[in-house]
Amino acid sequence: MNRKGNCWDNAVVESFFKSLKVQWECHQNYSFRSEAELSIFQWIGTWCNRMRIHSALDYKTIEEFENEMYNQKSEASEA
């Protein structure tokens, strides 16, 4: 996967940064780098992980998907 010219290495990260720029960053004006860092951290923690649905996760939020996976593992270990 790490060969030169292999587009799959960065596809997920590039998609994330595109979403960040389109959905959040371009609508903000920052005076300081620390403001931008805090704002982006909050966007990831609130919108991206808890509210934004992802088609790759069967149209669930990251939080919903992780909870389902955790519950499935817990049920499997109990059986």
Side-chain angles (χ1 to χ4, degrees):
M1 288 300 252
N2 257 345
R3 296 186 316 263
K4 184 176 180 179
N6 190 341
C7 65
W8 298 110
D9 272 355
N10 296 323
V12 175
V13 175
E14 288 180 14
S15 176
F16 170 79
F17 281 116
K18 177 188 171 258
S19 296
L20 172 66
K21 289 177 182 178
V22 170
Q23 295 174 5
W24 186 250
E25 187 181 279
C26 67
H27 303 290
Q28 309 296 318
N29 291 319
Y30 303 112
S31 299
F32 300 100
R33 181 184 175 120
S34 58
E35 285 180 318
E37 289 173 354
L38 180 61
S39 176
I40 291 169
F41 180 78
Q42 289 174 336
W43 178 80
I44 293 168
T46 57
W47 166 249
C48 191
N49 290 345
R50 295 185 180 156
M51 296 169 27
R52 184 175 180 264
I53 60 171
H54 299 265
S55 60
L57 302 178
D58 198 23
Y59 296 95
K60 298 174 184 155
T61 66
I62 292 174
E63 192 171 56
E64 290 170 338
F65 182 78
E66 286 179 347
N67 288 338
E68 280 186 15
M69 295 302 293
Y70 176 75
N71 291 336
Q72 287 176 358
K73 286 182 181 180
S74 295
E75 291 171 3
S77 64
E78 290 174 4

